[in-house]
Amino acid sequence: MASTYTRWIYHGEPMEDTMIENTGHRGEQIDFTADVNLNEVEEADPNEKIPDMVRELFTSEAGRRKKSMFAILLEEMKQELYPGAAYSRFSFVVKLLHLKSFYRISNVAFTAFVKLLADAFPHCSIPTSYEEAKKLIRALGLGYNTIHVCPNNCVLFRKNYAAHDVCPVCSASRWKDKDGRKKIPEKVLRHFPLIPRMFASKEISELAQWHKLKRNAVENELNHPTDGEAWKAFDTKYAWFAQDARNIRLGLATDGFNPFGKMNSSYSRWPVFRIPYNFPPWECMEQSKFIMGLLIPGPLCPGTDFDVFLEPLIEELLDLWKGIPTLDALTDKSFDLHAAVIWCIHDYPALSTLSGRVTRGYYACVRCDKDPCSRRIRNKIGASFQGTIHGGKKNGLTERMKDVKS
């Protein structure tokens, strides 16, 4: 579906008597009350509104209009690969990088391939190396920071340990080949910084405030996370946070997966995603709205060392809690953007990995916590014969176990 399909004329929405400025190059006006050929509308370029999107990303500075880096990149996305090409330069490079990743082409082979293309088609604006191709992706904010990790998951080689070649805890080497000239790290953590670019577009800025400004609440209906008790309790405890609808509520999701096949259990990676819940339900659950935070390397589950890998993410979230100066494109004013994690989404085994709490044995129940109603029966652990469920009412299982005991 075209991203600029804002008037749902093909799904029953009527043509209203409004005058809308054409976003084409002439700047003329179109009267939608006149007869419109729907075939011509279907053939319209869905990127016609790109100039408006670029115009939104201009920032004011001392009375002058100055382009942001993101605006410059969007203009780069409109550059043709060659006159009359079906792909832009940016989309062609993204396609090449996707093929490289999908078919597992090495960096050296990819560089040789794009260099051959650049020599064979000199009139096309094609990058000549893998690094040059990645520069376009980094400018879009899709890059990541590489952080070396101790092979035994003791520490991250950053800040005070950035210059260390051995782990200060277990004395393990940081490099695979200690004596070689080309130092290759044993383990690498990928950190994807959360840049406050969410309010660079007027449309996204408006969506981020939908939950408070445009949502129609219905009593006794749960149609958005704002209707939940957790959201309401958070707003009650931190009223200053709830006053500004632009402050972001995040969900944290993680789980391990096998990148080399479903049946391969010898290697796994752990991605950590951040999900913004300010958007409407049909937007916040879109995969395109998920924000990668960390990509934790394998081959084994980090287990109790998970908190070591979370260090850069936690520091980033603490900065967002204090507030980061951000420009709101909707109002063209600066404000302090705050964010908080109010949910974690994972299965029960991952709960133990992420939080560090016990999820098996006597303390397996999360609600019971330090006062469990469990008892060992031979070599098994089950519910206590004297235990009751929460609220003081006896469990049917407890009653049946009493009958078994008698």
Side-chain angles (χ1 to χ4, degrees):
M1 181 179 292
S3 60
T4 56
Y5 182 33
T6 56
R7 187 175 297 279
W8 289 43
I9 58 177
Y10 306 117
H11 293 77
E13 186 173 348
M15 288 286 197
E16 297 180 1
D17 298 339
T18 54
M19 293 289 292
I20 300 179
E21 289 187 2
N22 180 22
T23 55
H25 302 290
R26 300 173 185 172
E28 61 189 14
Q29 292 185 341
I30 299 176
D31 185 2
F32 277 96
T33 59
D35 293 336
V36 178
N37 188 347
L38 294 183
N39 293 330
E40 294 180 359
V41 176
E42 289 180 346
E43 295 175 0
D45 183 6
N47 294 324
E48 280 295 314
K49 289 189 177 181
I50 290 294
D52 281 349
M53 295 171 61
V54 175
R55 201 173 297 113
E56 290 178 2
L57 297 173
F58 282 70
T59 57
S60 300
E61 185 175 299
R64 297 177 298 173
R65 308 296 287 180
K66 182 181 178 182
K67 290 183 181 179
S68 66
M69 178 60 81
F70 196 53
I72 295 174
L73 180 65
L74 285 181
E75 290 183 344
E76 169 68 24
M77 291 170 63
K78 294 293 291 182
Q79 297 292 330
E80 290 184 339
L81 185 63
Y82 61 88
Y87 290 99
S88 66
R89 178 173 182 261
F90 184 84
S91 62
F92 183 72
V93 172
V94 170
K95 288 284 186 181
L96 288 177
L97 291 173
H98 175 259
L99 291 175
K100 175 194 179 301
S101 176
F102 189 81
Y103 293 105
R104 302 177 185 177
I105 302 174
S106 66
N107 298 349
V108 177
F110 182 85
T111 299
F113 180 68
V114 295
K115 189 174 182 180
L116 177 62
L117 286 177
D119 293 340
F121 305 99
H123 299 292
C124 298
S125 182
I126 300 176
T128 58
S129 66
Y130 174 61
E131 290 298 327
E132 187 178 343
K134 286 205 304 182
K135 285 182 180 179
L136 292 175
I137 306 299
R138 291 195 190 104
L140 187 60
L142 300 178
Y144 55 84
N145 300 326
T146 57
I147 304 173
H148 298 174
V149 189
C150 167
N152 299 318
N153 302 338
C154 298
V155 297
L156 302 180
F157 290 101
R158 60 194 294 263
K159 294 186 175 181
N160 297 335
Y161 304 131
H164 288 213
D165 290 329
V166 295
C167 175
V169 178
C170 65
S171 300
S173 176
R174 175 179 179 176
W175 315 103
K176 291 183 178 180
D177 187 6
K178 294 180 287 186
D179 301 327
R181 294 183 178 181
K182 187 176 181 181
K183 294 184 176 180
I184 302 175
E186 284 278 0
K187 189 176 292 187
V188 178
L189 168 69
R190 271 89 175 171
H191 173 227
F192 300 80
L194 180 60
I195 304 174
R197 193 186 295 117
M198 184 172 295
F199 294 90
S201 170
K202 291 182 180 179
E203 182 181 357
I204 299 299
S205 177
E206 189 175 3
L207 285 177
Q209 304 177 64
W210 178 90
H211 67 97
K212 189 173 183 179
L213 304 182
K214 291 189 175 183
R215 184 179 67 91
N216 295 324
V218 180
E219 189 176 358
N220 296 328
E221 283 192 12
L222 183 64
N223 52 30
H224 190 268
T226 53
D227 298 322
E229 294 298 330
W231 189 296
K232 295 177 182 178
F234 185 86
D235 286 353
T236 303
K237 187 174 182 180
Y238 303 101
W240 61 269
F241 189 96
Q243 287 178 356
D244 195 339
R246 296 171 294 190
N247 290 334
I248 306 299
R249 273 85 164 179
L250 296 171
L252 203 65
T254 182
D255 201 357
F257 77 102
N258 302 324
F260 303 119
K262 294 182 180 179
M263 303 303 295
N264 188 348
S265 59
S266 61
Y267 191 95
S268 65
R269 282 186 176 240
W270 287 70
V272 180
F273 293 98
R274 294 161 294 194
I275 305 170
Y277 282 106
N278 290 44
F279 297 159
W282 55 88
E283 290 285 346
C284 63
M285 287 293 102
E286 284 287 334
Q287 290 188 8
S288 59
K289 299 297 188 295
F290 294 178
I291 307 170
M292 175 78 81
L294 298 170
L295 186 58
I296 300 175
L300 302 176
C301 170
T304 56
D305 298 325
F306 204 90
D307 56 336
V308 175
F309 296 98
L310 289 178
E311 182 180 321
L313 178 61
I314 297 300
E315 292 178 358
E316 189 177 42
L317 291 173
L318 288 175
D319 291 337
L320 282 169
W321 175 254
K322 297 175 183 177
I324 294 179
T326 308
L327 179 67
D328 187 359
L330 189 62
T331 60
D332 200 21
K333 295 180 180 179
S334 297
F335 74 103
D336 288 336
L337 173 64
H338 301 269
V341 175
I342 58 177
W343 284 295
C344 289
I345 309 167
H346 41 67
D347 55 13
Y348 210 65
L351 171 63
S352 174
T353 302
L354 184 62
S355 65
R357 66 160 294 132
V358 177
T359 56
R360 57 185 179 180
Y362 289 102
Y363 297 93
C365 181
V366 179
R367 292 193 60 182
C368 291
D369 199 23
K370 297 180 181 180
D371 188 21
C373 54
S374 56
R375 177 176 296 184
R376 178 175 290 275
I377 305 175
R378 295 180 180 177
N379 60 341
K380 302 291 183 182
I381 297 176
S384 172
F385 295 140
Q386 308 299 329
T388 59
I389 67 170
H390 304 283
K393 297 180 180 179
K394 292 186 177 181
N395 195 338
L397 175 63
T398 305
E399 295 295 330
R400 289 194 298 271
M401 293 181 69
K402 285 184 177 180
D403 295 338
V404 173
K405 181 180 178 182
S406 61

